Amino acid sequence: MPRIFRPYHCVETVTDLTLDRLRELNLDALLLDVDCTLKRYRDTGVSQEVGEWLGALRQAGIGLCLVSNGRGRRIEQFAASVDLPFVAKACKPFPWGLKKAMREHGFHRERTAMVGDQLLADIVAGNLAGLTTVLVRAVHPEEEQWFTRVKRPPERWLLRVMGLGKSSSSD
Ligand SMILES: [Mg+2]
């Protein structure tokens, strides 16, 4: 299986990426997918837990930027609600949006991870951009739009083939 589909790490939820864990992994910046990674697709904001996690990372000086394939206005409103910069319409799995975020914020490739719930968007884009990639378990994927949902079965198949199956850790 080509390396491009393989996440470097798998976690259950974004909040598993604690400051200690980021230090261990030598990461000081995160590019964050929005839908089904930070929040349920239909929600307009994040849970208290995710909000506190973002706050702790920000306070510790971890660079953060949202990188979403979602439309500009919806992502802009979400970004404002969590007070984070964003790149919308990122066209993942292409790496352009990630590279734009890296350039704009001066993040270093060796110390940045792309974090997202979709193998065929977030993980491929992050690997193409030369970043560390972290796959999170999708938050209520059944709420997503059909063009995202159709990618789930091949993603599950790929995970099984790579031996990542349903387990939550590949470290
Ligand atoms: Mg997503």
Side-chain angles (χ1 to χ4, degrees):
M1 186 58 56
R3 185 71 186 82
I4 201 171
F5 294 116
R6 182 177 282 274
Y8 280 63
H9 307 283
C10 297
V11 294
E12 198 60 29
T13 160
V14 285
T15 55
D16 291 343
L17 294 171
T18 59
L19 280 171
D20 284 345
R21 189 91 175 96
L22 295 182
R23 253 176 238 127
E24 253 172 53
L25 299 175
N26 197 28
L27 295 170
D28 61 16
L30 299 178
L31 304 183
L32 298 164
D33 172 52
V34 173
D35 295 314
C36 300
T37 294
L38 291 181
K39 67 172 190 69
R40 297 168 73 139
Y41 180 77
R42 289 184 195 144
D43 285 353
T44 52
V46 294
S47 66
Q48 187 182 343
E49 197 186 356
V50 170
E52 286 170 2
W53 172 75
L54 288 171
L57 263 50
R58 189 190 284 123
Q59 208 167 9
I62 302 294
L64 299 169
C65 185
L66 307 175
V67 180
S68 171
N69 282 357
R71 292 215 191 100
R73 185 149 173 73
R74 187 172 69 86
I75 299 304
E76 185 181 350
Q77 284 171 348
F78 173 77
S81 80
V82 288
D83 192 22
L84 286 178
F86 70 97
V87 173
K89 292 196 279 187
C91 297
K92 294 173 287 184
F94 296 104
W96 312 318
L98 285 64
K99 288 186 174 173
K100 181 172 181 236
M102 304 283 294
R103 258 196 325 271
E104 282 179 1
H105 301 290
F107 296 162
H108 295 277
R109 205 176 57 181
E110 322 77 60
R111 301 199 302 274
T112 302
M114 175 71 218
V115 182
D117 65 296
Q118 277 200 274
L119 216 53
L120 299 178
D122 307 304
I123 300 307
V124 171
N127 286 339
L128 284 174
L131 309 180
T132 296
T133 44
V134 181
L135 183 71
V136 304
R137 193 183 291 276
V139 184
H140 286 274
E142 75 283 357
E143 290 180 359
E144 278 192 309
Q145 290 171 295
W146 68 269
F147 50 81
T148 304
R149 288 202 313 267
V150 292
K151 288 189 267 180
R152 299 288 179 193
E155 287 180 340
R156 280 196 294 273
W157 178 80
L158 279 167
L159 284 170
R160 269 201 309 276
V161 169
M162 290 188 291
L164 299 176
K166 284 200 165 170
S167 86
S168 62
S169 178
S170 71
D171 298 355

mmCIF file of all heavy atoms in Angstrom, residues 130-159:
data_model
loop_
_atom_site.group_PDB
_atom_site.id
_atom_site.type_symbol
_atom_site.label_atom_id
_atom_site.label_comp_id
_atom_site.label_asym_id
_atom_site.label_seq_id
_atom_site.Cartn_x
_atom_site.Cartn_y
_atom_site.Cartn_z
ATOM 1 N N GLY A 130 4.169 16.662 2.882
ATOM 2 C CA GLY A 130 5.374 16.310 3.635
ATOM 3 C C GLY A 130 5.247 16.530 5.126
ATOM 4 O O GLY A 130 6.250 16.718 5.820
ATOM 5 N N LEU A 131 4.015 16.507 5.634
ATOM 6 C CA LEU A 131 3.789 16.735 7.058
ATOM 7 C C LEU A 131 3.599 15.410 7.792
ATOM 8 O O LEU A 131 3.382 14.369 7.184
ATOM 9 C CB LEU A 131 2.521 17.574 7.258
ATOM 10 C CG LEU A 131 2.409 18.860 6.450
ATOM 11 C CD1 LEU A 131 1.101 19.565 6.771
ATOM 12 C CD2 LEU A 131 3.585 19.775 6.734
ATOM 13 N N THR A 132 3.636 15.480 9.104
ATOM 14 C CA THR A 132 3.166 14.368 9.918
ATOM 15 C C THR A 132 1.643 14.335 9.767
ATOM 16 O O THR A 132 1.022 15.393 9.628
ATOM 17 C CB THR A 132 3.535 14.620 11.401
ATOM 18 O OG1 THR A 132 4.956 14.645 11.505
ATOM 19 C CG2 THR A 132 2.988 13.534 12.304
ATOM 20 N N THR A 133 1.052 13.156 9.764
ATOM 21 C CA THR A 133 -0.400 13.089 9.612
ATOM 22 C C THR A 133 -1.026 12.312 10.770
ATOM 23 O O THR A 133 -0.490 11.290 11.190
ATOM 24 C CB THR A 133 -0.774 12.415 8.275
ATOM 25 O OG1 THR A 133 0.043 11.252 8.081
ATOM 26 C CG2 THR A 133 -0.568 13.354 7.110
ATOM 27 N N VAL A 134 -2.135 12.831 11.247
ATOM 28 C CA VAL A 134 -2.834 12.200 12.370
ATOM 29 C C VAL A 134 -4.291 11.976 11.977
ATOM 30 O O VAL A 134 -5.023 12.927 11.670
ATOM 31 C CB VAL A 134 -2.778 13.070 13.640
ATOM 32 C CG1 VAL A 134 -3.498 12.364 14.795
ATOM 33 C CG2 VAL A 134 -1.337 13.386 14.027
ATOM 34 N N LEU A 135 -4.696 10.709 11.980
ATOM 35 C CA LEU A 135 -6.081 10.362 11.676
ATOM 36 C C LEU A 135 -6.882 10.296 12.968
ATOM 37 O O LEU A 135 -6.478 9.633 13.916
ATOM 38 C CB LEU A 135 -6.130 9.006 10.970
ATOM 39 C CG LEU A 135 -7.513 8.522 10.525
ATOM 40 C CD1 LEU A 135 -8.021 9.358 9.350
ATOM 41 C CD2 LEU A 135 -7.475 7.040 10.132
ATOM 42 N N VAL A 136 -8.007 11.009 13.006
ATOM 43 C CA VAL A 136 -8.891 10.906 14.167
ATOM 44 C C VAL A 136 -10.151 10.146 13.744
ATOM 45 O O VAL A 136 -10.515 10.131 12.567
ATOM 46 C CB VAL A 136 -9.308 12.296 14.736
ATOM 47 C CG1 VAL A 136 -8.092 13.130 15.076
ATOM 48 C CG2 VAL A 136 -10.208 13.046 13.782
ATOM 49 N N ARG A 137 -10.792 9.521 14.704
ATOM 50 C CA ARG A 137 -12.050 8.842 14.394
ATOM 51 C C ARG A 137 -13.115 9.903 14.104
ATOM 52 O O ARG A 137 -13.269 10.855 14.871
ATOM 53 C CB ARG A 137 -12.481 7.972 15.567
ATOM 54 C CG ARG A 137 -13.587 7.011 15.216
ATOM 55 C CD ARG A 137 -14.019 6.223 16.418
ATOM 56 N NE ARG A 137 -13.013 5.275 16.868
ATOM 57 C CZ ARG A 137 -12.858 4.048 16.360
ATOM 58 N NH1 ARG A 137 -13.652 3.630 15.398
ATOM 59 N NH2 ARG A 137 -11.931 3.237 16.806
ATOM 60 N N ALA A 138 -13.832 9.739 12.999
ATOM 61 C CA ALA A 138 -14.808 10.750 12.574
ATOM 62 C C ALA A 138 -15.910 10.937 13.621
ATOM 63 O O ALA A 138 -16.434 9.961 14.165
ATOM 64 C CB ALA A 138 -15.418 10.347 11.242
ATOM 65 N N VAL A 139 -16.249 12.188 13.881
ATOM 66 C CA VAL A 139 -17.317 12.523 14.822
ATOM 67 C C VAL A 139 -18.640 12.538 14.065
ATOM 68 O O VAL A 139 -18.867 13.386 13.205
ATOM 69 C CB VAL A 139 -17.068 13.934 15.431
ATOM 70 C CG1 VAL A 139 -18.127 14.257 16.479
ATOM 71 C CG2 VAL A 139 -15.668 14.045 16.016
ATOM 72 N N HIS A 140 -19.497 11.585 14.330
ATOM 73 C CA HIS A 140 -20.801 11.464 13.660
ATOM 74 C C HIS A 140 -20.737 11.640 12.139
ATOM 75 O O HIS A 140 -21.367 12.538 11.581
ATOM 76 C CB HIS A 140 -21.793 12.474 14.257
ATOM 77 C CG HIS A 140 -22.265 12.051 15.609
ATOM 78 N ND1 HIS A 140 -23.318 11.200 15.802
ATOM 79 C CD2 HIS A 140 -21.788 12.347 16.840
ATOM 80 C CE1 HIS A 140 -23.484 10.988 17.101
ATOM 81 N NE2 HIS A 140 -22.574 11.665 17.753
ATOM 82 N N PRO A 141 -20.027 10.735 11.452
ATOM 83 C CA PRO A 141 -19.871 10.867 9.997
ATOM 84 C C PRO A 141 -21.178 10.736 9.229
ATOM 85 O O PRO A 141 -21.275 11.193 8.088
ATOM 86 C CB PRO A 141 -18.904 9.731 9.647
ATOM 87 C CG PRO A 141 -19.008 8.757 10.768
ATOM 88 C CD PRO A 141 -19.310 9.559 11.982
ATOM 89 N N GLU A 142 -22.205 10.139 9.861
ATOM 90 C CA GLU A 142 -23.486 9.946 9.160
ATOM 91 C C GLU A 142 -24.174 11.263 8.848
ATOM 92 O O GLU A 142 -25.073 11.325 8.014
ATOM 93 C CB GLU A 142 -24.411 9.021 9.963
ATOM 94 C CG GLU A 142 -25.072 9.653 11.198
ATOM 95 C CD GLU A 142 -24.123 9.784 12.394
ATOM 96 O OE1 GLU A 142 -22.967 9.339 12.306
ATOM 97 O OE2 GLU A 142 -24.564 10.353 13.411
ATOM 98 N N GLU A 143 -23.720 12.356 9.472
ATOM 99 C CA GLU A 143 -24.355 13.658 9.230
ATOM 100 C C GLU A 143 -23.780 14.370 8.007
ATOM 101 O O GLU A 143 -24.305 15.378 7.564
ATOM 102 C CB GLU A 143 -24.150 14.568 10.457
ATOM 103 C CG GLU A 143 -24.950 14.122 11.656
ATOM 104 C CD GLU A 143 -24.717 15.037 12.858
ATOM 105 O OE1 GLU A 143 -23.930 15.990 12.752
ATOM 106 O OE2 GLU A 143 -25.348 14.773 13.892
ATOM 107 N N GLU A 144 -22.667 13.840 7.499
ATOM 108 C CA GLU A 144 -21.999 14.535 6.411
ATOM 109 C C GLU A 144 -22.751 14.422 5.100
ATOM 110 O O GLU A 144 -23.623 13.585 4.927
ATOM 111 C CB GLU A 144 -20.592 13.972 6.227
ATOM 112 C CG GLU A 144 -19.630 14.569 7.200
ATOM 113 C CD GLU A 144 -18.213 14.226 6.812
ATOM 114 O OE1 GLU A 144 -17.950 13.033 6.584
ATOM 115 O OE2 GLU A 144 -17.397 15.128 6.731
ATOM 116 N N GLN A 145 -22.345 15.238 4.136
ATOM 117 C CA GLN A 145 -23.017 15.210 2.846
ATOM 118 C C GLN A 145 -22.607 13.969 2.055
ATOM 119 O O GLN A 145 -21.560 13.381 2.314
ATOM 120 C CB GLN A 145 -22.685 16.489 2.098
ATOM 121 C CG GLN A 145 -23.361 17.683 2.758
ATOM 122 C CD GLN A 145 -22.883 18.986 2.172
ATOM 123 O OE1 GLN A 145 -21.732 19.341 2.291
ATOM 124 N NE2 GLN A 145 -23.768 19.692 1.530
ATOM 125 N N TRP A 146 -23.447 13.585 1.100
ATOM 126 C CA TRP A 146 -23.249 12.309 0.408
ATOM 127 C C TRP A 146 -21.878 12.198 -0.244
ATOM 128 O O TRP A 146 -21.271 11.137 -0.252
ATOM 129 C CB TRP A 146 -24.365 12.089 -0.631
ATOM 130 C CG TRP A 146 -24.297 13.045 -1.790
ATOM 131 C CD1 TRP A 146 -24.906 14.252 -1.895
ATOM 132 C CD2 TRP A 146 -23.529 12.880 -2.995
ATOM 133 N NE1 TRP A 146 -24.567 14.860 -3.073
ATOM 134 C CE2 TRP A 146 -23.731 14.036 -3.766
ATOM 135 C CE3 TRP A 146 -22.706 11.877 -3.481
ATOM 136 C CZ2 TRP A 146 -23.123 14.210 -5.009
ATOM 137 C CZ3 TRP A 146 -22.099 12.052 -4.725
ATOM 138 C CH2 TRP A 146 -22.321 13.209 -5.467
ATOM 139 N N PHE A 147 -21.362 13.320 -0.784
ATOM 140 C CA PHE A 147 -20.090 13.228 -1.507
ATOM 141 C C PHE A 147 -18.913 12.983 -0.565
ATOM 142 O O PHE A 147 -17.834 12.603 -0.997
ATOM 143 C CB PHE A 147 -19.848 14.451 -2.410
ATOM 144 C CG PHE A 147 -20.036 15.781 -1.742
ATOM 145 C CD1 PHE A 147 -19.040 16.322 -0.953
ATOM 146 C CD2 PHE A 147 -21.224 16.490 -1.909
ATOM 147 C CE1 PHE A 147 -19.207 17.541 -0.340
ATOM 148 C CE2 PHE A 147 -21.405 17.715 -1.306
ATOM 149 C CZ PHE A 147 -20.394 18.243 -0.513
ATOM 150 N N THR A 148 -19.134 13.207 0.710
ATOM 151 C CA THR A 148 -18.109 12.826 1.691
ATOM 152 C C THR A 148 -18.356 11.400 2.158
ATOM 153 O O THR A 148 -17.429 10.602 2.283
ATOM 154 C CB THR A 148 -18.137 13.783 2.899
ATOM 155 O OG1 THR A 148 -17.983 15.117 2.420
ATOM 156 C CG2 THR A 148 -17.000 13.467 3.868
ATOM 157 N N ARG A 149 -19.636 11.064 2.366
ATOM 158 C CA ARG A 149 -19.967 9.734 2.888
ATOM 159 C C ARG A 149 -19.550 8.608 1.943
ATOM 160 O O ARG A 149 -19.154 7.542 2.382
ATOM 161 C CB ARG A 149 -21.467 9.633 3.197
ATOM 162 C CG ARG A 149 -21.890 10.426 4.424
ATOM 163 C CD ARG A 149 -23.201 9.897 5.004
ATOM 164 N NE ARG A 149 -24.210 9.681 3.991
ATOM 165 C CZ ARG A 149 -25.144 10.577 3.626
ATOM 166 N NH1 ARG A 149 -25.187 11.749 4.225
ATOM 167 N NH2 ARG A 149 -26.026 10.293 2.705
ATOM 168 N N VAL A 150 -19.610 8.877 0.617
ATOM 169 C CA VAL A 150 -19.245 7.810 -0.327
ATOM 170 C C VAL A 150 -17.776 7.418 -0.206
ATOM 171 O O VAL A 150 -17.380 6.345 -0.646
ATOM 172 C CB VAL A 150 -19.517 8.188 -1.815
ATOM 173 C CG1 VAL A 150 -21.005 8.299 -2.059
ATOM 174 C CG2 VAL A 150 -18.778 9.441 -2.223
ATOM 175 N N LYS A 151 -16.970 8.259 0.398
ATOM 176 C CA LYS A 151 -15.543 7.926 0.541
ATOM 177 C C LYS A 151 -15.269 7.039 1.755
ATOM 178 O O LYS A 151 -14.185 6.502 1.908
ATOM 179 C CB LYS A 151 -14.707 9.209 0.647
ATOM 180 C CG LYS A 151 -14.596 9.963 -0.673
ATOM 181 C CD LYS A 151 -13.599 11.096 -0.583
ATOM 182 C CE LYS A 151 -14.285 12.375 -0.215
ATOM 183 N NZ LYS A 151 -13.394 13.520 -0.110
ATOM 184 N N ARG A 152 -16.290 6.879 2.614
ATOM 185 C CA ARG A 152 -16.039 6.107 3.840
ATOM 186 C C ARG A 152 -15.755 4.623 3.600
ATOM 187 O O ARG A 152 -14.805 4.100 4.182
ATOM 188 C CB ARG A 152 -17.219 6.263 4.816
ATOM 189 C CG ARG A 152 -17.481 7.686 5.272
ATOM 190 C CD ARG A 152 -16.429 8.186 6.218
ATOM 191 N NE ARG A 152 -16.710 9.559 6.613
ATOM 192 C CZ ARG A 152 -15.837 10.347 7.237
ATOM 193 N NH1 ARG A 152 -14.637 9.895 7.550
ATOM 194 N NH2 ARG A 152 -16.150 11.567 7.552
ATOM 195 N N PRO A 153 -16.575 3.930 2.767
ATOM 196 C CA PRO A 153 -16.273 2.498 2.576
ATOM 197 C C PRO A 153 -14.865 2.244 2.023
ATOM 198 O O PRO A 153 -14.141 1.407 2.581
ATOM 199 C CB PRO A 153 -17.387 2.030 1.630
ATOM 200 C CG PRO A 153 -18.503 3.003 1.859
ATOM 201 C CD PRO A 153 -17.841 4.320 2.134
ATOM 202 N N PRO A 154 -14.423 2.944 0.955
ATOM 203 C CA PRO A 154 -13.043 2.695 0.521
ATOM 204 C C PRO A 154 -12.012 3.079 1.589
ATOM 205 O O PRO A 154 -10.961 2.435 1.687
ATOM 206 C CB PRO A 154 -12.874 3.576 -0.732
ATOM 207 C CG PRO A 154 -14.034 4.501 -0.759
ATOM 208 C CD PRO A 154 -15.132 3.844 0.021
ATOM 209 N N GLU A 155 -12.324 4.064 2.412
ATOM 210 C CA GLU A 155 -11.388 4.427 3.486
ATOM 211 C C GLU A 155 -11.270 3.298 4.516
ATOM 212 O O GLU A 155 -10.184 2.973 4.978
ATOM 213 C CB GLU A 155 -11.829 5.727 4.175
ATOM 214 C CG GLU A 155 -11.591 6.937 3.306
ATOM 215 C CD GLU A 155 -12.009 8.239 3.950
ATOM 216 O OE1 GLU A 155 -12.820 8.222 4.901
ATOM 217 O OE2 GLU A 155 -11.535 9.286 3.505
ATOM 218 N N ARG A 156 -12.429 2.706 4.841
ATOM 219 C CA ARG A 156 -12.405 1.597 5.807
ATOM 220 C C ARG A 156 -11.621 0.410 5.238
ATOM 221 O O ARG A 156 -10.861 -0.241 5.934
ATOM 222 C CB ARG A 156 -13.842 1.162 6.163
ATOM 223 C CG ARG A 156 -14.493 2.074 7.194
ATOM 224 C CD ARG A 156 -15.726 1.414 7.799
ATOM 225 N NE ARG A 156 -16.784 1.223 6.824
ATOM 226 C CZ ARG A 156 -17.714 2.145 6.533
ATOM 227 N NH1 ARG A 156 -17.712 3.298 7.167
ATOM 228 N NH2 ARG A 156 -18.638 1.914 5.639
ATOM 229 N N TRP A 157 -11.818 0.189 3.930
ATOM 230 C CA TRP A 157 -11.098 -0.904 3.270
ATOM 231 C C TRP A 157 -9.587 -0.649 3.333
ATOM 232 O O TRP A 157 -8.806 -1.527 3.692
ATOM 233 C CB TRP A 157 -11.574 -1.030 1.819
ATOM 234 C CG TRP A 157 -10.845 -2.093 1.067
ATOM 235 C CD1 TRP A 157 -11.085 -3.438 1.116
ATOM 236 C CD2 TRP A 157 -9.731 -1.909 0.189
ATOM 237 N NE1 TRP A 157 -10.190 -4.098 0.305
ATOM 238 C CE2 TRP A 157 -9.345 -3.196 -0.270
ATOM 239 C CE3 TRP A 157 -9.029 -0.795 -0.269
ATOM 240 C CZ2 TRP A 157 -8.283 -3.387 -1.153
ATOM 241 C CZ3 TRP A 157 -7.969 -0.982 -1.152
ATOM 242 C CH2 TRP A 157 -7.611 -2.259 -1.582
ATOM 243 N N LEU A 158 -9.182 0.571 3.009
ATOM 244 C CA LEU A 158 -7.753 0.914 3.055
ATOM 245 C C LEU A 158 -7.176 0.727 4.458
ATOM 246 O O LEU A 158 -6.087 0.195 4.632
ATOM 247 C CB LEU A 158 -7.542 2.381 2.618
ATOM 248 C CG LEU A 158 -7.518 2.636 1.113
ATOM 249 C CD1 LEU A 158 -7.637 4.134 0.827
ATOM 250 C CD2 LEU A 158 -6.229 2.094 0.507
ATOM 251 N N LEU A 159 -7.925 1.154 5.454
ATOM 252 C CA LEU A 159 -7.454 1.020 6.837
ATOM 253 C C LEU A 159 -7.257 -0.450 7.197
ATOM 254 O O LEU A 159 -6.276 -0.814 7.836
ATOM 255 C CB LEU A 159 -8.438 1.673 7.812
ATOM 256 C CG LEU A 159 -8.399 3.194 7.875
ATOM 257 C CD1 LEU A 159 -9.563 3.729 8.687
ATOM 258 C CD2 LEU A 159 -7.081 3.686 8.456
#
